[in-house]
Amino acid sequence: MDSDGTLWQRRFGDDPAEALRALNDSLGFDRRMFREDIAGSRAHAAMLAAVGLLTGAERDGICDALDTVEAEMADGRFVPNAGDEDIHTAVERRVTELTPAGAKLHTGRSRNDQVAADLRLWTRTALGEVAEAVLELQRTLLGRAVEAGEALMPGYTHLQQAQPVLLAHHLLAHGWALARDFHRLVEARRRADVSPLGAGALAGSSLPLDPALTAAELGFGAVFDNSLDAVSDRDFVVDALYALAMLGLHLSRIGEELVIWSSTEFGFVELDDAYATGSSMLPQKKNPDVAELARAKAGRLIGHLTGLMATLKGLPLSYAKDLQEDKEPLFDAVDTVRLTLTALNGLIATTRFDIDRLSQQASSPYGAAADLAELLVTGGLAFREAHGVVAELVRRSLDGEGSLADLVAADERLPAEAAALFEAGAFAKRRSTPGGGGAEAVAAQIEKFRSRIDADAGRFRERE
Ligand code: ARG
């Protein structure tokens, strides 16, 4: 390779146009995979030596040069030159400057299998780190749920007060969504964990390569089955973007609730100063920017998912330069999710719940309506009839005839024990169905959630 030229320049008479370079070059973003690229090259060199295509000395020379390049890239000493169109070109060019054996490094390899391998390695690590951060947020929610004890809040449907639930129950509802995200991330990571090395440009090689050896060197869980598929397949990026978008979607729902709950009208929470912002004009304001951004970032994550799917749609086999467009959305999605998870975790950990306000809002007599109907059912009435009896009393109460409790007390269709349903906390005691919002069920749920987190954390470590 000429020191300033591209890998392929000798095929052409003229230098590449500036506009081509500006559009084509990817070093600006794919240098982020330099560790993966170098790890892949070490594994490839080791395999080439094992099958007799490099001498031991050549392999060692290449590996020493790779160490040097890695150090130069890590501490910013690396100087790219004009021909370094991507990270693969840059590393190989520099290795070849450092050792003549560098000219043999690309034996039996193409950037097509190389870039797929780099991105798979990068994805494997990144998804593992995101999954760890998800577990962290689950632990925070668990901690807040335990701390909330038997505090009640209004539960909503249609954002209308429906039935009281334990605050812990509501917090854990988000926790279970995150538990599904954790599994999606682990599954996406497993799908990334397949080595494409040895596929070459598209068809394998006439040289005696050993793809299983390279895969083992890199700790890949599996090896490709079809070389065309190996260099074309970006399903693992889509899977990762889907898992990240779903996670982002869940974070946006938490964010939205914190926005509502911190409003003056709701007043359910007060955000900690460290996680709130002020207004440049209105001195009294305390704004929930973290929660709003958590709500907003989901849009960007969904955009990355649909954007990449649109890029992949209709692409002919095997490699096409379109595939270079896979990295920026993935990198940005991972960065976005990590930032959001960290900030939201801090916000939730420090938010103060106004327990009095929550329980006052949870104590509307109408919250007992379903329990009144169910009490009639235990007395033998068909549910539809029971619903009608209570609905009529609710309407009369809303029309100003009296409080629901008074109307219930005066109605002989309802037994005397109906009065107890209006007592504070009665709801929490009566709701005992598994997975429900009452105290006993939530206590069991907390233990289940805790063991789920512990099991996930354990499983996660085993796979490392
Ligand atoms: N920078 C390229 C990418 O990200 C690497 C593969 C280039 N392969 C090729 N045949 N031009 O996809």
Side-chain angles (χ1 to χ4, degrees):
M1 180 175 17
D2 304 333
S3 72
D4 235 19
T6 64
L7 285 174
W8 36 263
Q9 197 177 15
R10 282 204 255 168
R11 159 76 175 71
F12 293 120
D14 287 331
D15 283 346
E18 206 30 62
L20 172 129
R21 285 210 146 133
L23 179 65
N24 199 41
D25 288 5
S26 55
L27 184 62
F29 53 87
D30 65 19
R31 63 178 302 159
R32 202 166 157 169
M33 306 191 300
F34 78 89
R35 290 187 198 283
E36 289 75 15
D37 195 73
I38 286 169
S41 286
R42 277 196 198 103
H44 186 65
M47 183 275 290
L48 290 178
V51 301
L53 290 166
L54 285 180
T55 65
E58 285 170 333
R59 176 201 57 211
D60 294 347
I62 287 174
C63 287
D64 288 349
L66 287 166
D67 291 347
T68 305
V69 180
E70 185 164 22
E72 288 175 352
M73 290 191 163
D75 62 21
R77 267 180 300 136
F78 182 85
V79 188
N81 74 18
D84 292 347
E85 62 178 61
D86 54 24
I87 185 62
H88 328 292
T89 320
V91 171
E92 187 187 331
R93 188 263 305 159
R94 184 71 185 120
V95 167
T96 309
E97 282 170 10
L98 292 166
T99 172
K104 296 190 175 180
L105 178 57
H106 216 50
T107 307
R109 181 175 82 170
S110 158
R111 281 182 294 159
N112 299 355
D113 56 348
Q114 194 181 354
V115 69
D118 292 4
L119 195 57
R120 283 175 177 278
L121 291 171
W122 190 91
T123 305
R124 208 172 63 170
T125 308
L127 292 184
E129 288 167 7
V130 173
E132 279 279 21
V134 169
L135 276 181
E136 257 328 288
L137 182 53
Q138 287 179 266
R139 285 196 192 95
T140 300
L141 285 166
L142 174 64
R144 301 302 321 245
V146 169
E147 199 186 303
E150 295 193 5
L152 287 172
M153 65 171 285
Y156 295 84
T157 61
H158 311 269
L159 200 56
Q160 306 286 326
Q161 288 193 1
Q163 289 180 298
V165 290
L166 260 64
L167 170 58
H169 192 53
H170 193 114
L171 293 172
L172 286 186
H174 290 299
W176 289 106
L178 293 173
R180 295 192 293 277
D181 289 318
F182 178 89
H183 279 253
R184 262 187 286 271
L185 290 163
V186 169
E187 173 59 16
R189 187 177 62 160
R190 195 185 63 75
R191 286 169 184 270
D193 195 20
V194 179
S195 177
L197 287 172
L202 74 162
S205 173
S206 62
L207 297 166
L209 306 181
D210 185 350
L213 193 65
T214 334
E217 284 279 329
L218 291 166
F220 274 116
V223 189
F224 72 94
D225 293 304
N226 178 306
S227 61
L228 291 169
D229 184 41
V231 297
S232 316
D233 173 17
R234 292 296 183 273
D235 294 6
F236 70 99
V237 185
V238 175
D239 288 334
L241 287 174
Y242 170 64
L244 294 166
M246 276 303 289
L247 169 57
L249 190 151
H250 290 144
L251 300 183
S252 82
R253 297 181 77 170
I254 299 177
E256 166 66 353
E257 288 194 335
L258 288 169
V259 170
I260 300 177
W261 290 3
S262 61
S263 67
T264 311
E265 288 73 7
F266 270 76
F268 287 0
V269 296
E270 196 201 333
L271 307 180
D272 192 77
D273 285 0
Y275 285 93
T277 52
S279 157
S280 57
M281 182 175 165
L282 310 171
Q284 82 282 14
K285 292 298 295 294
K286 187 167 182 183
N287 292 330
D289 290 28
V290 169
E292 289 170 303
L293 285 167
R295 186 172 64 182
K297 296 289 187 190
R300 172 170 174 161
L301 294 164
I302 294 164
H304 289 324
L305 171 63
T306 56
L308 182 65
M309 289 182 86
T311 300
L312 297 176
K313 177 194 165 296
L315 272 189
L317 298 183
S318 60
Y319 179 84
K321 201 55 174 271
D322 309 51
L323 295 177
Q324 182 164 283
E325 289 289 303
D326 56 0
K327 289 166 211 64
E328 287 166 291
L330 180 64
F331 294 165
D332 185 72
V334 167
D335 291 344
T336 299
V337 163
R338 293 181 68 159
L339 272 177
T340 310
L341 275 170
T342 309
L344 202 56
N345 191 31
L347 179 70
I348 294 171
T350 55
T351 287
R352 279 177 295 281
F353 291 95
D354 187 336
I355 300 298
D356 292 341
R357 168 106 182 129
L358 284 161
S359 63
Q360 176 220 326
Q361 284 298 311
S363 63
S364 155
Y366 302 112
D371 284 356
L372 288 167
E374 287 179 0
L375 188 64
L376 288 171
V377 166
T378 53
L381 203 60
F383 178 74
R384 191 49 56 215
E385 299 294 324
H387 183 281
V389 169
V390 179
E392 180 201 309
L393 294 174
V394 166
R395 183 175 45 75
R396 285 171 46 205
S397 164
L398 291 171
D399 286 349
E401 269 189 51
S403 74
L404 185 61
D406 288 348
L407 295 177
V408 164
D411 195 307
E412 79 244 1
R413 288 171 298 181
L414 282 137
E417 65 255 45
L421 300 190
F422 294 100
E423 282 162 21
F427 174 93
K429 287 193 200 75
R430 297 177 65 85
R431 226 144 225 70
S432 51
T433 43
E440 218 176 291
V442 171
Q445 187 192 154
I446 283 181
E447 287 325 307
K448 201 170 166 192
F449 189 68
R450 195 196 309 280
S451 6
R452 170 71 171 264
I453 297 180
D454 291 346
D456 282 350
R459 254 193 54 200
F460 183 76
R461 263 177 246 118
E462 273 162 35
R463 289 190 184 198
E464 287 305 304

